[in-house]
Amino acid sequence: MEFDQSQPIWMQICELFCNRIAAAEWPEQERIPSVRELGAALGVNPNTVMRAYERLTDEELIFNRRGIGYFVAPEAQARAAATLRRRFEREQLPRIFRSMRRVGLTADEFVTLYRKFMEDENQ
């Protein structure tokens, strides 16, 4: 994984997990890599991974079974999707709306384009 220098690595690890959980790539109750395993796989300090795991635990996306490891929490998929949606609404939608205003794209035109996009994606 290549890390973006503008954001702390532990936050990028949290985002990676959030995306994988929301996409059901890591099902609820499934064991995830240990702190050491993930640190070695990503080439980062285990303390960095631990910080990410602490945040993910606080957000109830993962939980620790003492002596066994970390697991995806029950209901984590819905929580991860909600987190990603809030982030999208806060960070990406304002940019999209500003761009729409600049090019004169109306909300109705946007909806039409969105529906066409979804039809093409589902084929």
Side-chain angles (χ1 to χ4, degrees):
M1 175 175 178
E2 277 192 45
F3 294 104
D4 178 356
Q5 298 301 318
S6 68
Q7 185 181 32
I9 292 172
W10 68 269
M11 289 179 70
Q12 293 176 64
I13 294 169
C14 289
E15 188 167 332
L16 170 72
F17 273 57
C18 200
N19 284 316
R20 287 190 176 173
I21 292 168
E25 290 176 28
W26 287 349
E28 295 170 4
Q29 304 289 341
E30 182 175 295
R31 187 176 183 280
I32 60 173
S34 72
V35 170
R36 287 186 183 157
E37 290 169 343
L38 188 61
L42 297 177
V44 300
N45 189 308
N47 291 331
T48 301
V49 175
M50 191 65 223
R51 186 163 183 192
Y53 278 23
E54 287 170 355
R55 169 63 69 88
L56 293 163
T57 300
D58 290 345
E59 293 176 358
E60 298 180 352
L61 295 177
I62 65 172
F63 67 96
N64 186 11
R65 287 191 182 146
R66 193 174 183 99
I68 299 173
Y70 284 90
F71 294 79
V72 177
E75 308 298 322
Q77 186 176 8
R79 276 194 290 283
T83 297
L84 292 173
R85 182 184 176 126
R86 283 190 305 274
R87 188 176 303 137
F88 174 78
E89 291 172 353
R90 185 180 65 244
E91 296 173 6
Q92 294 179 10
L93 272 181
R95 283 181 260 178
I96 293 168
F97 293 152
R98 281 191 290 277
S99 293
M100 288 173 60
R101 184 177 56 212
R102 268 193 305 275
V103 301
L105 184 67
T106 67
D108 289 338
E109 291 168 328
F110 180 82
V111 169
T112 300
L113 291 170
Y114 174 75
R115 287 186 176 138
K116 172 130 180 47
F117 172 80
M118 292 306 289
E119 286 174 13
D120 293 346
E121 284 285 301
N122 291 326
Q123 291 180 1

